[in-house]
Amino acid sequence: MTQQINLQAEVPDSLAGQRLDQVAAELFPDYSRSRLQTWIKNGDLKVNGEVRKTRDKILGGEKLELQTELVADESWEPQAIALDIIYEDEHLLVINKPVGLVVHPGAGNADSTLLNALLHHCPELATLPRAGIVHRIDKDTTGLLVVAKTLKAHTSLVDQLQEKSAFREYEAIVCGVMTGGGKVDEPIGRHPTVRTKQAVSHSGKPAVTHYRVLERFRGHTHIRVQLETGRTHQIRVHMAHIRYPLLGDPLYGERLRLPKGATAELIEALRGFKRQALHARKLGVIHPATGEYMEWETPLPADFQTMLRILRDDLQQGE
């Protein structure tokens, strides 16, 4: 499967003196700078019919011609896996991801991922980077993900995530009783000794997490979290760093602590909750084609709601 791209543009005098890749990014804004640089190097993007280098200066008045094709990545298999689609049009797709579904194939998860399901639902996604997936949530985190269906949408959504203009709001249950909300502004990088973990690290990338209390229980707190950045495991790492790890987190959690006098139902529920209590509840982006802001919300999954009910019952019985 291939997708043809044939575009032309004349360089205005206002862009004179700039590098070819900078000019191309201005004249063909639907495509990322890195992709345009690749097309220049491959000779797919020519200046007055000639192959030029990315750093060559442009004088103004030249004619840029882009003739290329997007080739499907055939290394991923489409698989008929059910998707909970919240919204879809010709530009993007919003999915409510269930617990246990890995987003992208990797070590130990060669298939049966969200990516494989997306390729079955929409085969043309095979021509896009990572089949249009622009951000991830962990295997056992539930909630909303946006997927690009065109290269233009892909560029727009990636830019919004990098510029922090995309809105992402989560709900979580943490261990410990918080006195109030706050902000964690600590850089995150790979853990120095455990390769599967991330950690707060001075050599890491900037990461900012805002949180506020929704409900307090005897030994836990229900919180709402907003992300400014999107680092791997960000909420899980930041909450553990301030000593309020997520309930059930197998990687960053602590030894199970039971509230004094906990009900039998609560003890059983806490011992049986084997995933991090984290749900991507709200997602908002500027639509790549219309320029309008759109926002979606999905309710908490059943296991999360059940845990909240049991925590409330325990609180009432303890009063």
Side-chain angles (χ1 to χ4, degrees):
M1 181 190 302
T2 60
Q3 180 182 335
Q4 300 294 323
I5 298 175
N6 295 286
L7 297 171
Q8 296 182 354
E10 185 172 313
V11 181
D13 292 340
S14 60
L15 297 180
Q18 294 192 36
R19 290 170 22 161
L20 174 55
D21 58 343
Q22 295 172 322
V23 172
E26 288 286 337
L27 298 181
F28 305 125
D30 292 348
Y31 309 106
S32 67
R33 175 81 69 87
S34 62
R35 185 170 286 269
L36 288 165
Q37 288 171 340
T38 298
W39 287 336
I40 293 169
K41 291 173 184 175
N42 291 345
D44 297 335
L45 199 165
K46 295 183 174 69
V47 181
N48 292 334
E50 297 178 351
V51 176
R52 302 278 292 273
K53 295 179 179 179
T54 57
R55 294 177 176 272
D56 285 355
K57 290 290 192 292
I58 297 300
L59 303 176
E62 294 97 335
K63 183 179 179 181
L64 300 192
E65 294 177 271
L66 174 59
Q67 291 186 322
T68 190
E69 62 181 21
L70 303 177
V71 181
D73 187 329
E74 297 180 353
S75 60
W76 299 317
E77 283 289 324
Q79 291 178 298
I81 300 168
L83 291 172
D84 183 3
I85 298 172
I86 303 299
Y87 175 85
E88 183 175 16
D89 62 23
E90 60 188 303
H91 305 281
L92 51 81
L93 185 64
V94 178
I95 303 290
N96 182 25
K97 190 190 84 64
V99 65
L101 181 62
V102 175
V103 172
H104 190 276
N109 297 287
D111 58 13
S112 301
T113 70
L114 175 63
L115 184 146
N116 301 107
L118 288 169
L119 290 176
H120 181 269
H121 173 73
C122 189
E124 56 267 32
L125 291 178
T127 62
L128 300 181
R130 297 186 180 276
I133 295 171
V134 294
H135 66 122
R136 305 187 193 189
I137 52 179
D138 298 331
K139 173 185 176 182
D140 289 331
T141 298
T142 55
L144 296 173
L145 272 170
V146 63
V147 178
K149 292 180 68 176
T150 67
L151 203 51
K152 175 181 178 179
H154 188 275
T155 301
S156 172
L157 293 172
V158 168
D159 286 347
Q160 290 183 54
L161 288 163
Q162 290 178 345
E163 294 166 3
K164 306 175 187 176
S165 58
F167 177 75
R168 288 173 292 168
E169 186 175 272
Y170 292 71
E171 289 192 23
I173 301 172
V174 298
C175 299
V177 183
M178 288 184 165
T179 55
K183 177 176 81 169
V184 185
D185 185 354
E186 296 286 355
I188 291 176
R190 192 171 292 279
H191 193 281
T193 57
V194 185
R195 298 296 293 171
T196 57
K197 296 179 69 171
Q198 303 291 309
V200 167
S201 167
H202 294 302
S203 61
K205 295 180 180 179
V208 181
T209 303
H210 301 266
Y211 63 94
R212 69 184 183 92
V213 172
L214 294 177
E215 202 170 358
R216 295 182 186 87
F217 307 105
R218 294 201 302 129
H220 299 83
T221 310
H222 179 200
I223 63 172
R224 180 166 292 155
V225 184
Q226 287 185 19
L227 294 180
E228 275 191 35
T229 52
R231 307 302 171 208
T232 301
H233 299 172
Q234 179 172 320
I235 295 172
R236 300 166 67 186
V237 171
H238 272 171
M239 291 300 105
H241 179 70
I242 62 172
R243 303 190 185 283
Y244 291 101
L246 267 57
L247 170 65
D249 193 330
L251 202 55
Y252 302 98
E254 299 176 346
R255 182 176 55 84
L256 179 63
R257 290 178 293 173
L258 299 172
K260 188 175 181 180
T263 63
E265 185 182 29
L266 177 59
I267 293 171
E268 182 182 0
L270 291 174
R271 286 177 173 161
F273 206 93
K274 299 297 186 181
R275 72 172 184 95
Q276 62 271 11
L278 184 62
H279 177 67
R281 179 147 193 174
K282 281 187 181 181
L283 175 68
V285 299
I286 297 167
H287 193 281
T290 67
E292 295 180 6
Y293 178 76
M294 299 185 72
E295 189 173 279
W296 301 272
E297 182 173 0
T298 185
L300 295 169
D303 63 342
F304 200 120
Q305 293 190 45
T306 298
M307 179 57 70
L308 288 175
R309 178 189 61 78
I310 293 170
L311 287 167
R312 290 185 191 111
D313 291 346
D314 175 78
L315 178 65
Q316 290 177 351
Q317 292 192 34
E319 288 178 345

